[in-house]
């Protein structure tokens, strides 16, 4: 209920689609995975890694893949599930956790969220009380709202908690995605995110 439904394109043998219509023909496993291992893509991937290629990223102290460069590569090759949308973003988040890719900047993520207003992070900002209606100011509004949430968590989370959740811009985007779902779960119940937050503050004050 919190995570939502997986994309049908992630199936081992997804249905072939064209112009938004679904047909009864499915891709073979070879058709599904071959584009991911084309020689052209592998060559560009290795070039993007640079000196990080064939190294242990957790021991690497040099440069990592810039977030924008990885985004551009995935969009260029139009790999199924990885050229746009949440699956691409989560893939990039995973590479950040694996220390292969750099964190996006707040400008990067604000641009991504503003261009995907029907997805969870944008709705999450609204659910937290940030209101915006003018499309022309959307990027600036998202950046300011995101910065507020990021700064609040950065100030109030403990160093241990930050390490445990890989705190950063990508983590905050991921949290924002879940806010509308949690609100939906609490709706009509005896609790809410706000009430849980207030209880947490009261407990922290009692515990000193």
């Amino acid at each position: 209920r919190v995570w939502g439904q997986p994309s049908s394109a992630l199936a081992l043998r997804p249905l072939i689609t064209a112009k938004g219509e679904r047909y009864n023909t499915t891709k073979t496993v070879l058709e599904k995975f071959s584009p991911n291992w084309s020689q052209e893509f592998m060559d560009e991937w290795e070039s993007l890694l640079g000196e990080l290629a064939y190294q242990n990223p957790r021991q690497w102290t040099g440069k990592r893949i810039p977030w924008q460069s990885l985004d551009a590569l995935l969009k260029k090759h139009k790999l199924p599930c990885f050229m746009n949308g949440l699956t691409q973003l989560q893939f990039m988040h995973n590479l950040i956790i694996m220390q292969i890719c750099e964190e996006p900047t707040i400008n990067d993520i604000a641009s991504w969220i503003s261009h995907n207003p029907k997805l969870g992070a944008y709705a999450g900002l609204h659910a937290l009380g940030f209101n915006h209606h003018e499309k022309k100011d959307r990027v600036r509004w998202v950046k300011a709202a995101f910065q507020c949430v990021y700064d609040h968590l950065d100030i109030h989370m403990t160093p241990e908690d930050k390490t445990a959740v890989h705190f950063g811009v990508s983590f905050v985007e991921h949290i924002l995605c879940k806010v509308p779902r949690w609100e939906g779960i609490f709706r009509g119940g005896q609790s809410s995110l706000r009430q849980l937050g207030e209880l947490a503050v009261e407990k922290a004050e009692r515990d000193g």
Side-chain angles (χ1 to χ4, degrees), residues 31-150:
E31 288 172 331
K32 157 90 181 203
F33 290 105
S34 290
N36 299 42
W37 278 272
S38 69
Q39 191 60 53
E40 180 186 5
F41 181 71
M42 289 195 295
D43 289 344
E44 289 195 41
W45 173 250
E46 185 173 347
S47 175
L48 186 62
L49 286 171
E51 294 181 353
L52 177 57
Y54 308 108
Q55 304 295 324
N56 182 340
R58 298 193 181 280
Q59 298 174 352
W60 179 250
T61 58
K63 293 182 178 180
R64 304 177 193 281
I65 297 176
W67 192 87
Q68 289 183 334
S69 298
L70 178 59
D71 180 52
L73 177 69
L74 295 173
K75 285 181 168 60
K76 173 185 174 182
H77 285 272
K78 296 181 170 36
L79 301 179
C81 302
F82 295 103
M83 61 181 171
N84 55 45
L86 284 177
T87 305
Q88 182 216 1
L89 189 66
Q90 290 305 318
F91 172 68
M92 295 172 72
H93 284 352
N94 287 335
L95 291 189
I96 292 168
I97 293 172
M98 295 169 67
Q99 301 180 29
I100 294 173
C101 180
E102 295 177 353
E103 279 274 355
T105 65
I106 289 180
N107 282 338
D108 291 334
I109 210 67
S111 177
W112 192 94
I113 293 172
S114 67
H115 286 91
N116 292 274
K118 294 183 179 180
L119 299 180
Y122 190 85
L125 291 173
H126 277 278
L128 291 176
F130 298 97
N131 295 311
H132 174 262
H133 300 288
E134 294 293 331
K135 184 176 180 180
K136 63 180 181 179
D137 294 328
R138 184 178 292 164
V139 175
R140 185 171 59 179
W141 171 82
V142 169
K143 179 183 177 182
F146 189 96
Q147 185 78 63
C148 288
V149 177
Y150 181 94

